[in-house]
Amino acid sequence: MKKRLFGFALLFLILQNFIFCNIETPLKSSENLISGTLDNGLKYYIFKNKKPEKRASLNLVVKAGSLYEEEAQQGLAHFLEHMAFNGTTKYQKNELVKYLQSLGLSFGGDLNAYTSFSETVYKLQVPTSTKDLEIGFDVLKEWSSEVTLNPKDVESEKNIIIEEWRLRQGIAKRVGDLQKKIIYGDSWYSKRFPIGFPETINSASSELLRNYYTQWYQPQNMAVVAVGDFNTEEVKSFIINSFSSLKNKSDVAHKSFDIPLNNKNSVTIFTDPELTTTNLNIMWKEAISPINSELVFKQNLEKILLNSIVNTRFSIFSKDKDSPYIYSSIYNFPLNDKTGIYAISSLIKKEDIESTLTNLIDNLKDISINGISNTELENEKINLLNNLKTLVNNKDSITNNTFMDSIVDYILNNNTFMEPQIEYDLTNNILKTITSEDLKQIAQNLLSSNYDVLITSRENMKNKLPTEEKVETFINSLLNQNTTSLKTQSLNLNLPELKLIPGVTKKISSEKDYLKFQLSNGIEVFYKETDFDKDKIYFKLTKLQGSSSLNYSEYINSVFLPDILSNSGVGDIDYKSLEIYFKGKNFTVEPYIDDYTQGFIISTNKENLNEALKYFRTLIARPKFDNNIIESTLKTNAELIKNRDFSPKSVLKKTYLEVLNNNNPRKITLDLKDLDYVNSKTLEETFQMLFSNFKDYKLTVTGSIDEETLVKDLDYYFANLPIKNNSKTFKDLNVNYPTDNVQKRVIQGIDKKATVILTFPYHGDFSLENRTLYNGFSNLLNILLIENVREKIGGVYSISSSANLEKLNFGENYLQIIFSTDNKRVDEVIKKVKSTIEEIQKGNFPQNKILDIQKNYELNFETALKTNSFWNNFLEKKNLISDYEFYTPMRYNNIVNFDSIVNFSNRALKINNCVEVTLLPEKED
């Protein structure tokens, strides 16, 4: 069962968020955060962190974004961000990107930036050698004061920014822009979206950009942040040496940009031909303050608790077959430093708006009248504390970027920066003071505030939807009621006791990087104890079989089986009790079924290890396929499938899969008629075929579990899994890719862009060396595509390739390239992409690019080697493929060289064997 809870890093950031309140006892930022101000006003922040080892994250924070643009400058804050990568005094044109790539850094990954309303932030990930750190800070300094803004470079960059603007066009943007107008009202925010407009982008000049640059990129308006595995004194000296010479040119006068609170209710109904679902959003704006006092911190915790309680109620109700919505969620977030938003979003079944509104408001009204039960509140407190406890236990594995985001938030929004242990202790103390009345007050405040409602639906439903006036009248009638329709339910929250007869675990061998065990039922176990995360344990039970062994009816059931099984409950715990059962427990047990494998993934901490394994064995012994969950799942999918073809992107995906896979029924999207195959009987039969016989299953275990504990758990929970001799294996699905050029164009939608998917089927056999060369070729191609297609002709904003080459998939391997572009330039861009591939095949590319991908592999390998995910992946493949091994950087460099890449690209990829599927608009409005 996949547990519904906050990711640990996300929870850490949420507790650094905003809330309304008066300021009281101030909170102190971490004493390990070194900060200071240079004589010129530039602020710096330094924080030592261990993960990844020998790596540092460096940020330049400019306290200016699109809000500070004059009328003629709209979009120029973002434009300037682009120009920082297009030439500085020391690095001409794109030499900066090329130079950083020579260090092994990747554009978009290790080297990136973003522009928002109030800030522009430049990001670097660098190794922590003295030389690399010195270069990193020198690059930040160049961005802060030495961007050249060459007129020719400005002109050439316009095409790329227009392509970025074009990439964002679509139904999501149309709905998003409408929602922003509702939220921001007549404030300056609604007039200064960071991307700007084609008109202002095309009219931008070097002079206009320089005016903005000179005014806002001043040391008094900037901060430098460094987080990483380094010597803090050395880093401090680099900052002082790099930035002390910068001069302020004028005073920086920051303006205050307010977002007014609602003074009346509003309802907006929006329809569009490309929408496939009906969605409801209820939004309340509220005054907020930074989290820098205990009182504000307390009220933020209250909101986290309330949101989690309400979302649990929504989730349980959504699983009912008669629920009017597929999902609903309540959440809050800041709009700026003074105003936040509280919202509920719902995906509605059959346009049942009134029933959905009734349930949503009833849940809040119930809390506003009756409060929260002590049991419900204590469960959420325990859940929140346990999540934070796990974060504290694994604090040494928190990566630089997590801390960096919190420090930048502190700089920009004055939210106190705290480390996990301090935050846990503060949370533990404050939670004791939070009562049901506190949460009751939040619900009362929401229901008494003015609201904005946005309903979006398909164009053909326009006449069937209620009017805006009717919706507002209905909501107000609900708000005026003094009772609710909610009923209290009794819940069973305990797993049955297991009475297993232990098996026997025998150690077979001690390999260089792992141990091998043989269980008495024949299951082989590969195990590696790690301390990368101090409190995380990972089991993966896998078998080569998958849905390929099933007939078509069983295959369709296997598509839905993991989700239905996970949501139906376990043992005596029914689907309504399941989410409550998981409160305060940090483990997941997830069944999975792919084409050629199936199994279970178990992730847990030490405290919940036995409960997680007990849950796993109960799930196998007493699988539940609740009819309510089955019916609810089928209704949800029917709702999504029946309207799918209104979406151009969905039609593109559907067409692509049909063309690439020659209409193989196992590889195309499902139809409504497929849902007729799904029923409890066939689900149970399919489960028995895949999960009742554990012959030929393989188990991998990694993480913070010692050998003695592991053997004891293997004996009791795994060595006695049932084994029968009639084991099935995986089989070829006979997927045959086209062997020549195939072109297919989908004409649908009004977006002013084309989306292109190019797929080149792989030619050749599988070997570890070929797999390495294929990925190396893809990495090289990505560098050259950015240079040739983005920078030279301005044909795209984003473009990349991905290579898939595996042994156990019967040759379903290919190279895929996806991009969006101007629909008038499709042929030109495709031609440039293919010519870039041909140039590699001819060897017409700079040989130093090979050194770039070799260095990048080395940096990534060094980081990956210290993660559980690397060893999980390696041991699973090693357990299934006996000769599988990973390549060290030295071995990689011996295999991936200029000649091998050229030779391999000619063998593996045929330029005249390309599946080309393109989405084009019907018209441009």
Side-chain angles (χ1 to χ4, degrees):
M1 166 67 196
K2 186 174 181 179
K3 186 179 174 188
R4 270 64 171 181
L5 46 75
F6 294 112
F8 298 142
L10 176 60
L11 179 62
F12 182 48
L13 292 176
I14 285 176
L15 291 176
Q16 304 277 352
N17 230 321
F18 298 84
I19 196 76
F20 67 89
C21 189
N22 296 320
I23 305 303
E24 222 181 47
T25 308
L27 297 175
K28 294 181 180 179
S29 285
S30 169
E31 61 183 18
N32 294 316
L33 179 63
I34 300 168
S35 62
T37 305
L38 303 182
D39 291 341
N40 57 17
L42 183 138
K43 290 180 168 53
Y44 62 84
Y45 302 84
I46 304 168
F47 187 76
K48 185 174 179 62
N49 185 51
K50 298 177 181 179
K51 291 291 182 178
E53 292 182 12
K54 299 180 182 179
R55 296 289 183 273
S57 295
L58 310 180
N59 276 198
L60 172 69
V61 180
V62 183
K63 295 182 180 180
S66 59
L67 289 175
Y68 298 88
E69 298 165 345
E70 303 292 343
E71 194 66 27
Q73 293 177 326
Q74 290 187 62
L76 294 199
H78 172 253
F79 201 134
L80 182 57
E81 172 215 311
H82 275 245
M83 293 309 299
F85 296 89
N86 252 323
T88 66
T89 301
K90 185 175 287 188
Y91 304 99
Q92 298 299 308
K93 186 57 177 164
N94 296 312
E95 293 306 314
L96 173 60
V97 174
K98 292 180 181 179
Y99 177 65
L100 292 172
Q101 285 175 336
S102 73
L103 302 179
L105 307 181
S106 61
F107 184 54
D110 304 307
L111 174 66
N112 212 332
Y114 76 86
T115 302
S116 188
F117 286 114
S118 302
E119 76 272 6
T120 307
V121 179
Y122 299 87
K123 303 180 176 187
L124 268 181
Q125 313 284 335
V126 297
T128 53
S129 70
T130 296
K131 179 183 177 183
D132 288 321
L133 282 171
E134 191 171 15
I135 291 170
F137 286 111
D138 186 55
V139 169
L140 294 191
K141 186 247 183 182
E142 288 282 304
W143 283 335
S144 71
S145 63
E146 302 299 323
V147 179
T148 52
L149 299 172
N150 182 290
K152 289 181 63 176
D153 295 339
V154 170
E155 288 303 311
S156 65
E157 192 67 20
K158 289 179 180 179
N159 284 338
I160 296 172
I161 298 174
I162 289 294
E163 288 307 320
E164 182 178 0
W165 171 87
R166 193 189 314 281
L167 181 64
R168 301 184 186 194
Q169 301 307 297
I171 182 57
K173 184 178 186 300
R174 295 198 290 278
V175 173
D177 284 352
L178 175 60
Q179 191 165 20
K180 288 173 186 174
K181 288 179 181 178
I182 294 171
I183 291 171
Y184 294 126
D186 292 329
S187 71
W188 199 243
Y189 286 81
S190 64
K191 302 175 179 66
R192 287 295 182 271
F193 292 159
I195 190 64
F197 302 96
E199 298 79 17
T200 52
I201 294 169
N202 284 322
S203 62
S205 66
S206 178
E207 181 182 1
L208 282 171
L209 287 162
R210 187 166 300 284
N211 289 341
Y212 186 94
Y213 188 50
T214 302
Q215 182 176 3
W216 298 109
Y217 280 60
Q218 300 191 65
Q220 62 184 307
N221 199 42
M222 294 189 288
V224 173
V225 192
V227 179
D229 185 21
F230 45 50
N231 181 300
T232 56
E233 287 301 314
E234 182 182 43
V235 167
K236 183 177 177 180
S237 69
F238 284 140
I239 293 173
I240 293 171
N241 292 338
S242 296
F243 295 94
S244 292
S245 61
L246 299 184
K247 305 295 183 185
N248 292 303
K249 303 175 184 66
S250 62
D251 290 334
V252 174
H254 275 284
K255 302 176 184 177
S256 179
F257 300 98
D258 295 329
I259 301 170
L261 300 180
N262 290 357
N263 56 19
K264 63 178 182 179
N265 299 324
S266 78
V267 175
T268 303
I269 296 178
F270 172 79
T271 59
D272 190 285
E274 293 181 17
L275 283 170
T276 60
T277 58
T278 299
N279 292 72
L280 167 71
N281 296 277
I282 310 174
M283 298 165 283
W284 299 269
K285 278 184 280 192
E286 59 181 358
I288 62 171
S289 295
I291 297 182
N292 51 25
S293 75
E294 288 191 10
L295 188 53
V296 178
F297 190 91
K298 174 179 180 286
Q299 291 179 329
N300 192 50
L301 287 178
E302 290 168 1
K303 288 195 172 183
I304 291 174
L305 292 171
L306 177 69
N307 292 353
S308 185
I309 288 168
V310 174
N311 281 328
T312 299
R313 293 183 179 187
F314 286 163
S315 180
I316 292 172
F317 185 68
S318 71
K319 295 174 184 175
D320 191 289
K321 60 182 175 60
D322 297 321
S323 169
Y325 54 78
I326 294 172
Y327 77 80
S328 288
S329 176
I330 187 170
Y331 51 93
N332 64 294
F333 59 89
L335 297 174
N336 62 11
D337 60 343
K338 298 176 183 177
T339 307
I341 192 163
Y342 230 120
I344 300 178
S345 295
S346 298
L347 175 58
I348 301 176
K349 295 178 185 176
K350 296 183 178 179
E351 296 74 47
D352 193 351
I353 293 170
E354 289 192 355
S355 297
T356 297
L357 282 168
T358 300
N359 180 264
L360 302 183
I361 292 176
D362 267 5
N363 271 285
L364 287 179
K365 185 171 280 291
D366 178 65
I367 294 172
S368 73
I369 297 172
N370 304 313
I372 303 290
S373 71
N374 288 333
T375 300
E376 202 170 12
L377 181 56
E378 289 307 310
N379 281 341
E380 290 301 338
K381 289 181 179 181
I382 293 169
N383 191 54
L384 178 57
L385 272 180
N386 281 354
N387 292 338
L388 277 174
K389 183 180 178 182
T390 299
L391 180 64
V392 170
N393 291 344
N394 294 295
K395 63 182 183 296
D396 291 338
S397 62
I398 298 174
T399 60
N400 294 337
N401 287 339
T402 298
F403 285 120
M404 177 63 79
D405 289 343
S406 291
I407 295 170
V408 170
D409 181 47
Y410 168 55
I411 294 167
L412 295 171
N413 302 308
N414 199 25
N415 292 318
T416 301
F417 171 70
M418 289 181 286
E419 294 181 66
Q421 185 63 60
I422 300 300
E423 191 160 356
Y424 175 84
D425 294 339
L426 180 62
T427 301
N428 189 28
N429 289 331
I430 289 180
L431 282 179
K432 297 172 185 175
T433 70
I434 295 177
T435 67
S436 173
E437 286 299 313
D438 296 320
L439 276 61
K440 182 177 179 179
Q441 187 62 55
I442 299 173
Q444 289 174 350
N445 290 341
L446 284 178
L447 294 176
S448 63
S449 300
N450 290 317
Y451 57 79
D452 292 312
V453 170
L454 172 62
I455 297 171
T456 59
S457 189
R458 302 184 306 283
E459 184 72 29
N460 63 357
M461 294 303 300
K462 195 169 189 175
N463 296 327
K464 298 181 181 180
L465 297 173
T467 63
E468 294 171 350
E469 293 77 11
K470 186 175 180 181
V471 171
E472 183 172 353
T473 300
F474 185 75
I475 292 174
N476 292 338
S477 70
L478 292 173
L479 293 173
N480 291 328
Q481 293 175 6
N482 293 320
T483 59
T484 73
S485 59
L486 298 185
K487 297 179 181 178
T488 305
Q489 299 173 340
S490 59
L491 305 173
N492 188 334
L493 303 177
N494 296 308
L495 292 174
E497 288 302 316
L498 295 177
K499 298 179 181 180
L500 303 175
I501 300 174
V504 177
T505 301
K506 179 181 179 182
K507 184 188 293 185
I508 298 176
S509 64
S510 298
E511 305 297 326
K512 177 185 176 184
D513 295 309
Y514 59 94
L515 301 179
K516 290 177 66 174
F517 297 92
Q518 181 88 42
L519 306 187
S520 52
N521 57 4
I523 294 175
E524 285 188 336
V525 182
F526 284 23
Y527 157 68
K528 182 176 180 66
E529 182 178 7
T530 70
D531 60 359
F532 312 133
D533 295 305
K534 302 297 183 183
D535 194 18
K536 286 186 180 179
I537 305 166
Y538 179 92
F539 296 79
K540 187 167 185 181
L541 192 62
T542 307
K543 182 183 178 182
L544 282 171
Q545 180 185 359
S547 61
S548 67
S549 66
L550 307 174
N551 64 35
Y552 190 77
S553 172
E554 295 159 351
Y555 155 68
I556 295 298
N557 278 266
S558 76
V559 172
F560 297 99
L561 189 153
D563 189 55
I564 293 174
L565 177 65
S566 295
N567 285 289
S568 289
V570 60
D572 297 323
I573 301 172
D574 65 13
Y575 78 91
K576 294 180 181 179
S577 307
L578 197 59
E579 295 202 34
I580 307 300
Y581 160 81
F582 269 110
K583 297 294 181 182
K585 298 182 179 70
N586 288 315
F587 75 85
T588 61
V589 178
E590 301 178 29
Y592 71 93
I593 304 170
D594 297 326
D595 286 338
Y596 302 113
T597 60
Q598 84 267 5
F600 286 87
I601 299 172
I602 305 168
S603 179
T604 181
N605 59 8
K606 295 176 184 177
E607 181 181 350
N608 287 279
L609 174 59
N610 283 328
E611 185 74 5
L613 297 179
K614 183 179 179 181
Y615 187 99
F616 158 68
R617 286 306 304 262
T618 305
L619 199 63
I620 289 174
R622 297 173 59 183
K624 296 170 73 95
F625 296 100
D626 185 274
N627 285 326
N628 188 88
I629 296 295
I630 295 171
E631 188 172 343
S632 176
T633 300
L634 295 179
K635 283 183 177 180
T636 295
N637 281 276
E639 188 79 16
L640 297 175
I641 291 172
K642 73 178 183 180
N643 302 313
R644 182 178 57 202
D645 288 352
F646 288 110
S647 165
K649 287 186 177 179
S650 294
V651 176
L652 172 66
K653 177 183 177 181
K654 177 182 177 182
T655 304
Y656 169 72
L657 292 174
E658 290 170 351
V659 173
L660 176 65
N661 298 290
N662 279 311
N663 286 300
N664 188 300
R666 298 294 185 98
K667 293 291 185 176
I668 60 177
T669 54
L670 299 184
D671 288 326
L672 283 172
K673 64 180 184 296
D674 290 320
L675 303 183
D676 295 336
Y677 289 108
V678 181
N679 55 70
S680 59
K681 181 176 182 294
T682 313
L683 284 166
E684 175 68 33
E685 291 171 350
T686 304
F687 178 89
Q688 294 299 325
M689 292 178 196
L690 297 174
F691 298 119
S692 65
N693 179 9
F694 287 86
K695 180 178 174 57
D696 300 324
Y697 267 83
K698 311 284 186 178
L699 178 65
T700 58
V701 185
T702 58
S704 51
I705 180 171
D706 61 78
E707 184 177 343
E708 181 180 352
T709 302
L710 174 66
V711 169
K712 187 184 303 182
D713 287 333
L714 291 176
D715 285 349
Y716 191 73
Y717 292 106
F718 292 96
N720 50 17
L721 284 167
I723 299 294
K724 304 172 188 175
N725 290 326
N726 59 337
S727 176
K728 292 186 177 182
T729 188
F730 66 139
K731 65 180 182 180
D732 193 346
L733 290 177
N734 298 311
V735 177
N736 299 306
Y737 297 146
T739 57
D740 53 9
N741 281 328
V742 177
Q743 290 184 328
K744 183 72 175 181
R745 297 204 164 180
V746 176
I747 312 298
Q748 186 169 336
I750 61 174
D751 298 340
K752 298 178 180 180
K753 66 178 178 181
T755 302
V756 180
I757 307 175
L758 302 179
T759 304
F760 296 87
Y762 173 74
H763 292 262
D765 298 325
F766 174 88
S767 70
L768 293 176
E769 182 172 318
N770 283 346
R771 188 172 187 264
T772 302
L773 286 167
Y774 208 17
N775 288 324
F777 168 79
S778 177
N779 292 337
L780 171 64
L781 179 60
N782 288 339
I783 293 174
L784 297 177
L785 287 174
I786 291 293
E787 291 183 6
N788 294 341
V789 184
R790 173 182 157 125
E791 300 299 335
K792 287 185 180 179
I793 68 170
V796 299
Y797 168 67
S798 174
I799 185 169
S800 64
S801 69
S802 60
N804 180 71
L805 181 56
E806 299 293 342
K807 182 175 184 179
L808 303 174
N809 66 354
F810 297 98
E812 295 172 25
N813 301 304
Y814 51 78
L815 180 88
Q816 185 181 79
I817 303 169
I818 302 177
F819 60 88
S820 290
T821 188
D822 185 343
N823 51 290
K824 298 182 180 67
R825 301 185 67 188
V826 170
D827 293 337
E828 174 195 0
V829 175
I830 291 176
K831 182 178 180 181
K832 193 66 175 178
V833 170
K834 290 184 176 181
S835 69
T836 300
I837 294 172
E838 289 178 310
E839 291 302 302
I840 295 176
Q841 293 176 320
K842 295 173 184 176
N844 293 334
F845 63 91
Q847 294 198 30
N848 62 2
K849 299 297 181 186
I850 298 296
L851 298 177
D852 294 352
I853 63 173
Q854 290 176 340
K855 185 64 176 175
N856 180 258
Y857 183 87
E858 179 183 356
L859 291 179
N860 290 335
F861 180 84
E862 290 173 354
T863 300
L865 206 60
K866 300 297 179 66
T867 64
N868 282 334
S869 59
F870 174 90
W871 291 105
N872 294 341
N873 181 65
F874 166 70
L875 291 180
E876 180 192 2
K877 290 184 180 297
K878 185 70 176 176
N879 213 343
L880 296 176
I881 307 171
S882 59
D883 61 349
Y884 184 84
E885 52 192 351
F886 58 78
Y887 281 27
T888 64
M890 181 179 294
R891 187 173 181 187
Y892 182 90
N893 293 348
N894 288 334
I895 290 173
V896 178
N897 55 56
F898 184 86
D899 290 337
S900 66
I901 286 289
V902 172
N903 292 334
F904 174 81
S905 66
N906 280 283
R907 298 196 313 269
L909 191 147
K910 307 300 180 186
I911 206 70
N912 60 355
N913 181 198
C914 176
V915 177
E916 174 190 318
V917 182
T918 305
L919 172 64
L920 294 167
E922 302 168 51
K923 56 184 178 179
E924 293 190 16
D925 294 335

